[in-house]
Amino acid sequence: MPKTATGRTQAELIAENADLRARLAESAAAEESVRASLATANQAQLALLAALEEQIRSETALRANAEKFQYVFDNSVVGQSITLPSGEINVNKAFCEMLGYSRAELLSRKWQDLTHTDDIELTNRALAPLLAGNQDSIRFTKRYIHKDGSTIWAEVGTAIRRDAGGKPQYFVTSVNDITRRRRAEENLRQSEALLRLVTDNLPAYVAYVNA
């Protein structure tokens, strides 16, 4: 078979050309595959970035809400308590002032430690429907013990927070000191009782004086 100027036959040149074309096609296919992989990776990275940005926005919103709640909790003029089902408490300044303690002194206390002995069972009965899932909140009156040993009467409003499965996580409680009102009511009852006693016995007293 005649050879070309390069010393190779026409058939060899055709075969070589075909091989080069095949390699070029393989290279192009490989490059396309790489481009497709990069595009997929870029899309995945963009999706991940978008998810991270959304998470950051959500976390920022949650942090802002948590900071607002903490500010309201700390600065409320009414006593506030976050109480675990096991009894541990986290209280605000107003609660501490109501009972005469510092916040540090109450860090290791439970609500039972601050409640009048006669009202511990009353409190347990009030909280039982919340722990059982039958109610979400309740209001009742109870007595606390001040650091100096005196009795503090309070109106208590508490709501329970549960997790997604319904398990109790903690109670959020507001405590309003009504000691002055209770004392005034008691003084009024005593005054009225004394007045009734005097009134009921006045005829006998008048008869005795006139005798």
Side-chain angles (χ1 to χ4, degrees), residues 102-162:
S102 68
R103 184 172 289 185
E105 289 176 307
L106 295 180
L107 287 177
S108 60
R109 300 294 188 93
K110 294 185 176 183
W111 67 260
Q112 294 91 335
D113 300 325
L114 306 174
T115 299
H116 192 288
T117 305
D118 294 340
D119 286 354
I120 291 178
E121 182 57 31
L122 176 149
T123 305
N124 282 326
R125 288 198 304 269
L127 298 179
L130 278 66
L131 290 169
N134 298 326
Q135 291 179 221
D136 293 325
S137 62
I138 195 169
R139 297 187 68 85
F140 59 100
T141 300
K142 64 177 287 186
R143 289 169 290 178
Y144 289 92
I145 300 299
H146 193 277
K147 186 178 181 180
D148 63 13
S150 61
T151 298
I152 302 296
W153 283 91
E155 284 184 344
V156 178
T158 187
I160 195 168
R161 172 71 175 177
R162 301 183 180 90

Side-chain angles (χ1 to χ4, degrees), residues 69-77 80 91-94 103:
F69 174 82
Q70 191 65 47
Y71 178 83
V72 172
F73 178 84
D74 289 338
N75 295 281
S76 173
V77 296
Q80 299 278 340
V91 298
N92 69 347
K93 181 180 178 182
R103 184 172 289 185

